[in-house]
């Protein structure tokens, strides 16, 4: 492969997914993995197979389906971890095992209780074991940026000799600075014996807001793989944002000496929207590249300049990252074809009964609402397509509320196909609805977060609600959308309960997640 190619290693489904509020079920992970393949990422880190049965199953399912991207499973250096990752990757066309151990004295002393020699033995053993299962093995020195750099030379030398072809240098705690990180990268590439047989990789966290800058500095210093996530999601402050790195490389070939990625930039925006819809975490409006305001010119002097010549204030075009026009896209006269095309543009490939169900919802909505925006369509997909077998189905809701009336919800649901009704009162109407639902569904889940987003502007805006529930150490997010925010709230709560019930029916209890 050309030395000018920067490999994009996407860890949205692993490092991203393990961050609070970003968990996804199997169907959702598969849907995103398909989009990541369309996006053109080189490697998809699909999960951490030993962490839970769910992670194992998603790495397995993604491995069985993807054709172009390499599929990677994470493993600590223990033999059981590596074996589990290998098992989950069995069906992958291009499997990669990614094994890691911490190398900083801070981690050795306080976390691992091991000395440097013991860690070297672990690296050697785990990489050899992984090579017994596949040719493509990545080794990461966790907390590399707080590790002794000459010890890191030893560590990576050992990993390469044992058969690793990618050496990852994580800034696990988001501590390093661009110049410092670039210097470390140069040092390692120069000093590690056999470094020419490996691709050096960056994996940065954004605790000081420097993940993208650090990654790009290391690329200039010789790194040829960037680990990143869509929308920059990830542990704590997040990981390096894929879209920012890719567009920086594309927009400044003069600086990056024609280094480029295989990413199809027009798939950046659909990927961002799809992720945000699935996890229910909105993209901040001022987020670079994919935020709502990233291409909105507000100041008069800017507008004037852009109208005269876009180049005055625009360093890239919205079209180049696949942002469709955000004006009216569809209305009640639009047919299946236009509806399907628009969903495709937004990154949703759905067919058969799922497509018909989404189309019916679209028509229902178009009857109530004059203009249907892209965000409305995403909400429809979140509400109906990223679906599950529904134990609890919304049927009807009426609310009594106001300044003097005691808020009262009368709710009808189908529970396992049987129509049931309940009435409850609460501090407010949402409280009353949730009590009625909890009563009918006999749930012991805790409500952790309730979030309302008006997904489109105007008086007839569609409301989208996200509800985060926790039960037995598992956290799920449900989404609901409807022009009536009360109905959207009820649907979001039921969606989350259906997810919990789905997890229970499939897996029983699982080990806690995370590393
Ligand atoms: O941040 C980190 O160090 C990691 C490793 C597992 C690569 O996520
Ligand atoms: Zn990480």
């Amino acid at each position: 492969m050309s030395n000018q190619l920067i490999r994009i290693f996407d860890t949205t489904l692993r490092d991203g997914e393990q961050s609070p509020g970003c968990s996804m079920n199997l169907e959702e992970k598969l849907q995103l993995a398909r989009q990541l393949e369309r996006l053109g990422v080189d490697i998809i880190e699909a999960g951490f197979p030993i962490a839970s049965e769910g992670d194992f199953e998603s790495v397995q399912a993604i491995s069985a389906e993807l054709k172009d991207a390499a599929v990677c499973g994470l493993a600590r250096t223990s033999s059981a971890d590596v074996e589990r990752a290998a098992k989950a990757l069995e069906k992958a066309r291009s499997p990669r095992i990614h094994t890691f151990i911490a190398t900083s004295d801070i981690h050795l002393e306080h976390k691992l209780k091991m000395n440097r020699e013991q860690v070297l033995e672990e690296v050697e053993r785990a990489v050899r074991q992984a090579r017994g299962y596949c040719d493509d093995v990545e080794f990461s020195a966790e907390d590399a940026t707080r590790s002794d750099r000459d010890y890191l030379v030893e560590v990576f030398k050992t990993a390469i000799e044992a058969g690793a072809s990618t050496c990852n240098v994580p800034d696990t705690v988001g501590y390093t600075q661009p110049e410092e990180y670039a210097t470390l990268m140069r040092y390692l590439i120069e000093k590690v014996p056999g470094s020419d047989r490996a691709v050096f990789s960056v994996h940065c966290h954004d605790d000081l807001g420097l993940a993208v800058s650090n990654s790009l500095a290391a690329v200039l210093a010789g790194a040829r793989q960037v680990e990143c996530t869509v929308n920059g999601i990830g542990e704590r402050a997040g990981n390096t944002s894929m879209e920012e790195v890719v567009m920086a490389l594309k927009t400044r070939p003069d600086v990056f000496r024609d280094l480029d990625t295989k990413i199809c930039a027009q798939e950046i925006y659909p990927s961002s929207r799809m992720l945000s819809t699935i996890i229910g975490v909105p993209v901040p409006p001022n987020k670079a590249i994919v935020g709502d305001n990233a291409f909105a010119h507000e100041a008069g002097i800017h507008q004037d300049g852009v109208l005269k010549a876009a180049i005055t204030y625009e360093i890239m075009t919205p079209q180049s990252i696949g942002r469709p026009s955000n004006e009216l896209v569809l209305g009640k006269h639009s047919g299946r074809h236009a509806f399907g095309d628009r969903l495709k543009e937004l990154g949703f490939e759905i067919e058969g009964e799922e497509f018909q169900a989404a189309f019916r919802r679209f028509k229902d909505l178009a009857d109530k609402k004059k203009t249907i925006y892209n965000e409305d369509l995403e909400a429809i997909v979140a509400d109906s397509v990223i679906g599950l077998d529904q134990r609890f189905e919304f049927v009807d809701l009426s609310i009594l509320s106001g300044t003097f009336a005691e808020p009262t919800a009368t709710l009808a649901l189908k529970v396992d196909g049987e129509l049931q009704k309940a009435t409850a009162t609460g501090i407010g109407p949402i409280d009353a609805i949730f009590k009625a639902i909890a009563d009918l569904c006999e749930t012991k889940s805790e409500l952790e977060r309730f979030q309302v987003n008006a997904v489109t502007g105007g008086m007839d805006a569609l409301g989208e609600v996200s509800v985060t529930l926790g039960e037995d150490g598992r956290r799920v997010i449900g989404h609901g959308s409807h022009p009536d925010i009360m109905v959207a709230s009820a649907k979001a709560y039921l969606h989350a309960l259906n997810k919990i019930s789905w997890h229970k029916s499939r897996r029983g209890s699982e080990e806690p997640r995370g590393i």
Side-chain angles (χ1 to χ4, degrees), residues 46 59 137 164 176 188-189 191 322 340 361 404 435 444 451 500:
V59 176
V137 174
T176 199
L188 293 173
I189 293 173
K191 300 282 184 204
R361 277 173 188 268
F404 298 111
K435 279 186 177 146
K444 55 185 178 68
Q451 189 175 319
I500 287 187

Side-chain angles (χ1 to χ4, degrees), residues 394 396-397 411 413 430 433-434 437 450 465 467 479-480 484-497:
F394 177 85
D396 189 32
L397 172 71
L411 181 78
L413 298 183
I430 301 285
I433 295 168
F434 283 10
I437 292 179
F450 172 76
V465 175
V467 163
H479 308 283
D484 181 331
I485 213 76
M486 301 297 156
V487 176
S489 304
K491 288 185 162 195
Y493 195 178
L494 291 170
H495 189 217
L497 287 174

Side-chain angles (χ1 to χ4, degrees), residues 424-460:
T425 56
I427 305 167
I430 301 285
D431 189 39
I433 295 168
F434 283 10
K435 279 186 177 146
I437 292 179
D439 185 21
L440 288 178
C441 303
E442 295 178 351
T443 175
K444 55 185 178 68
S445 316
E446 295 274 319
L447 176 65
E448 293 186 4
R449 196 164 137 213
F450 172 76
Q451 189 175 319
V452 180
N453 310 308
V455 293
T456 45
M459 294 295 282
D460 60 354

